[in-house]
Amino acid sequence: MQKKGAFDYILLETTGLADPGPIASMFWLNEEYATGLADIVLDGVVCVVDAVFGQKQMEEDHATDDLHIGESIRQIAGSDVVLLNKADLVEPEVLAGTEALIRQINAAAPIYKTVKGEINLKHIIGISAFRLPPPDVSTNTNGTHVHTDDCDHSHDSRPPTHYEVKGISSLQVACSALDQSHLDKLDEWIRNALWENRVEDVDSEVQILRCKGAFTSQKGVHYVLQGVRNMYEISELPATDSIGVPDTGKIILIGKGLTDPVRKSLEAVLVGSIV
């Protein structure tokens, strides 16, 4: 604290019952930070899951808010990186089961298995999760889907990019380069989903906890989508950060009510650009 000048990094550790959404929103789009009055940017949200008790906690978690989503589920859904800690204290099949459950809630976040919380800092610091495209997280889905009494859909086969547990879904849609009309339609679709909790041609309500994505215009401009609850931003990716970014884009939604009709509604907005 005696060092003069700005902080190198601020690590904010919340309580075990904290909802990361409002906290992330406070730092992400605060006017003072955005205008440079405070030299602070949101790097990312990291969630630590206990490998010993995490699976039981997620499965038994009870709703505590108007979204009817328990604390542990909200924390995982809003994370950019997940540390599965105490990996040495459980059997491999238990560890794999917990990892699969995390993946069903949040298919976009990298999962690192740790012992006593030891992790290379490059995986949790300087990740620029709110500025860069989401990482390419390879998963072994095998059509995995955990069915519980809380499922509000039929148990027919699901696309490998749809996951669900305790009513929370992680949904991913890919797209090729978009023209301006598709960009405008996508912006309107996201706005309605986050602000009105509805999407076109779908009667049921949707509740988005987190959305992220990256896509390219037909002019070759790369864009990044970031959203937390009802706040979102579509920003142009600087040329220096666009090197190596594929033209094939993807949009990832994490929330409640993300049924097949919601997927089809989003695909209809991107019609002609689906890959």
Side-chain angles (χ1 to χ4, degrees):
M1 295 295 293
Q2 296 178 351
K3 179 182 177 181
K4 294 183 179 180
F7 291 107
D8 295 324
Y9 204 89
I10 300 175
L11 180 63
L12 177 61
E13 182 179 4
T14 64
T15 69
L17 299 178
D19 181 353
I23 300 173
S25 299
M26 177 179 67
F27 286 100
W28 176 36
L29 291 180
N30 184 289
E31 289 185 1
E32 290 188 357
Y33 304 151
T35 55
L37 297 179
D39 188 19
I40 297 176
V41 295
L42 179 60
D43 189 32
V45 178
V46 179
C47 178
V48 180
V49 177
D50 189 310
V52 178
F53 300 106
Q55 183 169 344
K56 181 179 180 181
Q57 176 67 33
M58 285 182 277
E59 292 175 342
E60 298 180 356
D61 211 350
H62 298 290
T64 59
D65 63 357
D66 56 352
L67 294 179
H68 304 293
I69 302 170
E71 294 96 342
S72 64
I73 306 296
R74 291 201 310 269
Q75 291 173 357
I76 294 172
S79 298
D80 299 297
V81 175
V82 176
L83 304 184
L84 185 51
N85 196 36
K86 300 182 183 177
D88 58 324
L89 300 183
V90 296
E91 296 296 327
E93 58 270 19
V94 175
L95 190 65
T98 303
E99 182 177 6
L101 203 57
I102 296 170
R103 185 69 62 206
Q104 287 156 5
I105 300 170
N106 187 337
I111 300 174
Y112 299 102
K113 304 178 186 70
T114 61
V115 176
K116 297 183 179 179
E118 294 185 1
I119 182 74
N120 190 319
L121 292 182
K122 71 177 183 180
H123 296 309
I124 60 174
I125 290 181
I127 59 177
S128 300
F130 280 76
R131 182 176 63 86
L132 299 178
D136 183 14
V137 180
S138 59
T139 60
N140 181 19
T141 60
N142 294 325
T144 301
H145 176 77
V146 173
H147 298 293
T148 71
D149 293 335
D150 298 292
C151 290
D152 56 356
H153 60 274
S154 63
H155 288 176
D156 297 327
S157 60
R158 286 283 192 152
T161 49
H162 182 106
Y163 313 83
E164 184 171 347
V165 63
K166 299 290 284 186
I168 298 298
S169 298
S170 180
L171 181 65
Q172 179 174 314
V173 174
C175 62
S176 58
L178 305 173
D179 60 24
Q180 188 59 50
S181 65
H182 286 98
L183 290 171
D184 293 340
K185 291 178 180 178
L186 175 60
D187 184 52
E188 181 181 4
W189 193 94
I190 294 172
R191 187 167 60 247
N192 288 332
L194 270 60
W195 294 357
E196 306 295 337
N197 294 332
R198 64 175 181 84
V199 296
E200 188 174 356
D201 298 326
V202 177
D203 295 330
S204 58
E205 184 179 72
V206 298
Q207 297 173 330
I208 308 297
L209 296 177
R210 189 81 162 87
C211 66
K212 57 176 66 179
F215 39 87
T216 306
S217 73
Q218 291 186 349
K219 295 181 180 179
V221 179
H222 295 279
Y223 294 92
V224 173
L225 162 68
Q226 291 290 348
V228 178
R229 296 290 178 87
N230 63 348
M231 301 175 63
Y232 81 99
E233 180 181 43
I234 297 177
S235 57
E236 183 176 331
L237 190 64
T240 53
D241 295 323
S242 299
I243 301 175
V245 175
D247 290 337
T248 300
K250 62 181 176 182
I251 298 169
I252 303 166
L253 305 176
I254 302 172
K256 199 168 186 177
L258 301 180
T259 58
D260 279 342
V262 175
R263 166 191 287 278
K264 293 176 181 177
S265 176
L266 179 55
E267 290 177 342
V269 169
L270 304 172
V271 64
S273 63
I274 300 295
V275 296

